[in-house]
Amino acid sequence: MLSIIVALLVNLLIETSVSFSVVVPGDPVVAHVGSTVILPCWINPPENAEALEIRWYRKEFSNTFLHYKPGKVPDMPVEPYRNRTSLTPRSDQSGGLKDGDVSLRLEKLRVQDEGSFRCYVSGESSYDSEEVDLKVTALGSTPVLFLKFLDDGRVNISCKSSGWHPKPSVTWMSDERRVLHPGGVFYSREAHEMFSVHSWTAVSRSDAQLVSCSLSLKTGELKDGRMDIQGIVSSDSSGPWKALFFTLFIFALLGFGLVGFFLYKCRPGKKPDKEIVGDVNIEEPRKHAVEITVDREHLHPDLMVTKNCKIMRDGPGYDHTGEGFPYELCAFGAQRFTSGRHYWEVKLTQENTPPKNYWLIGVVKHGNFTVRDRSALTPSSGYWFLCSDGPNGFHTNTDPPVKLSLTPRPERLGVLLDYEEGQLSFYNIKESKHLLTISTRFSGTVVPLFNPGAGDQSPLIILDCTKPVKSAEESSQPLLSNNSSNA
Ligand SMILES: *[C@@H]1O[C@H](CO)[C@@H](O)[C@H](O)[C@H]1NC(C)=O
Ligand SMILES: *[C@@H]1O[C@H](CO)[C@@H](O)[C@H](O)[C@H]1NC(C)=O
């Protein structure tokens, strides 16, 4: 009897002397969709883990996706982890497997990876396992703000964004001070377990100037859209506001972990312009940059266009004695669009000259010609544009027109055509602002539309745009990595 107890004790002693426990961080690891993350796991006291069996699995032991066994060629990890996982030191200070560090590196993170991962280590006489919790986040698109006038004189502003995980929270503010109550917040599920969000609020125009909608994750990251509701004038405030939505003065702010490292150039001829870096809002449409030239065949005879089909102005012979904007002085882009998203930029100033007072920029149904008569230039007849008419300000040709006060005058304008969504968006590049979106329905072939007006010093210049190039680090770097204490 005594000998049995002694034997047991000895056994126990031997076992404890070689046993270890598996250690993982107490907090979940948080990382972005698409990034690479390390799930830390190590044994204590440290010992060389090369001689141990290591498994990583989700729920069931039998579904081990990464299996290391001494003297055995490791199995190819099973789907969906194939080519995405490996054992890796948890930090630069770690000696890796030799020091008992069995951390898992997981690449190209998906929302489906969210949840717990079990780290299992087994030796000759002891084994242990622990779970690491992984949270996957996705920062959605820059919110787009839409505005509608209500019958009671207030405005209904709605805010839309997609590509979030998990659901973002919505905060409405007026003039950066007062929190506004949302009229509603709606989430919908998109593909790949992402969420889109739509919220609206109603404010009276005497109450607020700048209204902002900010969407945030618990990690503190956020995206933000703003609208200056004083800058908007309904020309037809008595009549019903038709289904015209537009967005104004929107820019994006990332709480931290700025994503936008785009190398990008838009240049007029040989002289390079200052690059605009850091505003995600402008870089997003620029992904759809296309080269635009003017179609020389269908040019108004009173327009002069340079040989490269990029720079245009009113000719010396043009007699602009009539009243109003010279709508007929139009040039059409040689590029035709029947689908997709296309972006181009136009320069409205030259060195040492003030920005142009007169211009018209937009798209037109292919085959249309412009006429002097403004009333013929409607969306239903295939014209969509923003026009700068000198002292008369800026207006769209929608019904009713949207009139805008834009100060300072845009020096460089970006145009994004989204054919399927039926949206034509305008951006002030220098100010990094989204100015306005015309919502419509395109049909048939549309082409870019330009009109340099008459009497300005500066010509209208179509810029050479090349698509942005993503820097290599951007896609592979985890924005939030392990061990980060999250707010
Ligand atoms: C994994 O990598 C191997 C070799 O690099 C390749 O042949 C295979 O197609 C990849 N599998 C997947 C699912 O990407
Ligand atoms: C405001 O607009 C949203 C659509 O964006 C709509 O769902 C909501 O009912 C509108 N609110 C009012 C008070 O009209």
Side-chain angles (χ1 to χ4, degrees):
M1 186 62 185
L2 192 70
S3 65
I4 293 176
I5 292 171
V6 169
L8 269 175
L9 266 175
V10 167
N11 228 332
L12 210 68
L13 280 174
I14 291 171
E15 255 188 33
T16 39
S17 70
V18 295
S19 80
F20 52 79
S21 52
V22 166
V23 187
V24 298
D27 289 333
V29 174
V30 186
H32 277 173
V33 164
S35 69
T36 297
V37 75
I38 294 171
L39 304 182
C41 179
W42 63 96
I43 54 175
N44 192 30
E47 76 174 85
N48 189 344
E50 284 173 337
L52 304 175
E53 180 183 354
I54 302 156
R55 288 172 181 260
W56 278 92
Y57 55 93
R58 298 295 299 262
K59 295 227 154 36
E60 286 157 39
F61 187 81
S62 57
N63 285 343
T64 296
F65 60 81
L66 190 141
H67 190 184
Y68 172 90
K69 212 172 171 183
K72 178 175 167 284
V73 179
D75 293 333
M76 177 80 103
V78 295
E79 284 298 354
Y81 300 100
R82 188 165 297 158
N83 297 1
R84 295 206 292 138
T85 51
S86 53
L87 292 178
T88 192
R90 69 180 189 274
S91 72
D92 292 343
Q93 284 78 45
S94 161
L97 273 186
K98 282 196 169 60
D99 284 348
D101 182 353
V102 299
S103 301
L104 178 75
R105 177 185 162 95
L106 181 57
E107 295 168 32
K108 300 187 193 107
L109 219 55
R110 313 165 182 186
V111 173
Q112 291 88 327
D113 294 329
E114 187 156 275
S116 52
F117 285 75
R118 192 164 275 277
C119 169
Y120 167 100
V121 184
S122 164
E124 295 247 307
S125 54
S126 143
Y127 71 88
D128 193 13
S129 74
E130 282 297 335
E131 274 186 349
V132 187
D133 219 18
L134 173 65
K135 293 212 183 309
V136 181
T137 62
L139 204 54
S141 60
T142 299
V144 177
L145 271 68
F146 296 76
L147 180 143
K148 253 197 266 185
F149 289 92
L150 297 173
D151 290 340
D152 62 9
R154 291 183 305 162
V155 287
N156 177 358
I157 304 172
S158 43
C159 174
K160 286 185 179 176
S161 173
S162 56
W164 291 86
H165 188 89
K167 291 175 184 169
S169 47
V170 181
T171 311
W172 286 96
M173 299 272 283
S174 75
D175 303 324
E176 323 263 354
R177 284 181 282 113
R178 201 158 52 87
V179 174
L180 299 170
H181 285 290
V185 181
F186 312 96
Y187 296 98
S188 43
R189 208 174 260 281
E190 303 176 303
H192 306 110
E193 305 196 25
M194 300 284 203
F195 294 99
S196 63
V197 57
H198 171 204
S199 177
W200 65 271
T201 189
V203 287
S204 104
R205 285 210 276 163
S206 53
D207 265 13
Q209 174 160 15
L210 203 63
V211 176
S212 67
C213 161
S214 85
L215 307 175
S216 58
L217 295 176
K218 285 205 180 76
T219 56
E221 295 164 287
L222 60 89
K223 287 231 175 167
D224 181 314
R226 285 151 201 240
M227 173 181 273
D228 181 347
I229 59 173
Q230 299 301 319
I232 304 160
V233 189
S234 162
S235 67
D236 184 19
S237 49
S238 57
W241 190 258
K242 300 188 184 160
L244 169 75
F245 296 138
F246 55 94
T247 62
L248 201 82
F249 299 142
I250 292 173
F251 47 95
L253 296 170
L254 283 173
F256 58 84
L258 193 68
V259 195
F261 299 120
F262 294 101
L263 307 172
Y264 183 80
K265 274 195 173 66
C266 247
R267 43 202 158 67
K270 56 196 182 307
K271 209 184 301 140
D273 243 47
K274 214 175 79 195
E275 281 175 37
I276 293 148
V277 185
D279 194 304
V280 192
N281 202 27
I282 301 299
E283 300 310 336
E284 278 177 26
R286 275 182 169 170
K287 289 177 196 162
H288 307 285
V290 285
E291 166 103 20
I292 300 290
T293 51
V294 158
D295 175 5
R296 287 185 157 277
E297 302 275 302
H298 303 99
L299 200 62
H300 191 279
D302 284 318
L303 279 182
M304 298 196 312
V305 173
T306 52
K307 219 169 176 177
N308 67 357
C309 298
K310 293 276 193 186
I311 307 177
M312 72 198 82
R313 63 167 311 129
D314 49 320
Y318 180 65
D319 177 22
H320 183 50
T321 46
E323 293 273 294
F325 189 88
Y327 288 103
E328 74 281 14
L329 278 187
C330 274
F332 306 97
Q335 292 68 27
R336 302 175 184 181
F337 305 119
T338 52
S339 65
R341 290 185 192 152
H342 309 281
Y343 175 83
W344 56 95
E345 281 180 17
V346 179
K347 210 173 165 221
L348 300 163
T349 183
Q350 262 186 326
E351 219 146 311
N352 304 323
T353 58
K356 285 174 72 59
N357 285 310
Y358 298 93
W359 47 260
L360 181 156
I361 291 167
V363 296
V364 58
K365 207 162 183 169
H366 177 61
N368 272 3
F369 288 91
T370 43
V371 287
R372 186 99 186 79
D373 179 13
R374 157 76 180 82
S375 64
L377 307 176
T378 61
S380 52
S381 46
Y383 299 87
W384 299 269
F385 57 76
L386 178 62
C387 176
S388 169
D389 188 9
N392 300 319
F394 300 82
H395 63 85
T396 63
N397 72 323
T398 47
D399 179 25
V402 177
K403 295 188 176 177
L404 302 167
S405 56
L406 298 180
T407 39
R409 303 186 66 80
E411 294 187 10
R412 199 196 270 214
L413 202 74
V415 184
L416 177 68
L417 166 71
D418 188 332
Y419 192 100
E420 279 82 10
E421 287 289 314
Q423 292 184 340
L424 185 66
S425 303
F426 296 92
Y427 301 85
N428 181 336
I429 302 304
K430 188 164 174 225
E431 306 265 299
S432 295
K433 277 177 182 168
H434 172 200
L435 295 179
L436 166 128
T437 295
I438 294 174
S439 281
T440 184
R441 183 174 303 225
F442 298 113
S443 63
T445 307
V446 298
V447 301
L449 173 66
F450 306 96
N451 181 325
D456 279 337
Q457 247 179 301
S458 296
L460 185 155
I461 304 164
I462 306 171
L463 295 168
D464 289 328
C465 284
T466 46
K467 276 187 201 201
V469 185
K470 280 190 187 180
S471 68
E473 302 100 86
E474 191 213 332
S475 49
S476 62
Q477 218 160 44
L479 292 171
L480 284 174
S481 63
N482 52 303
N483 297 338
S484 66
S485 53
N486 296 297

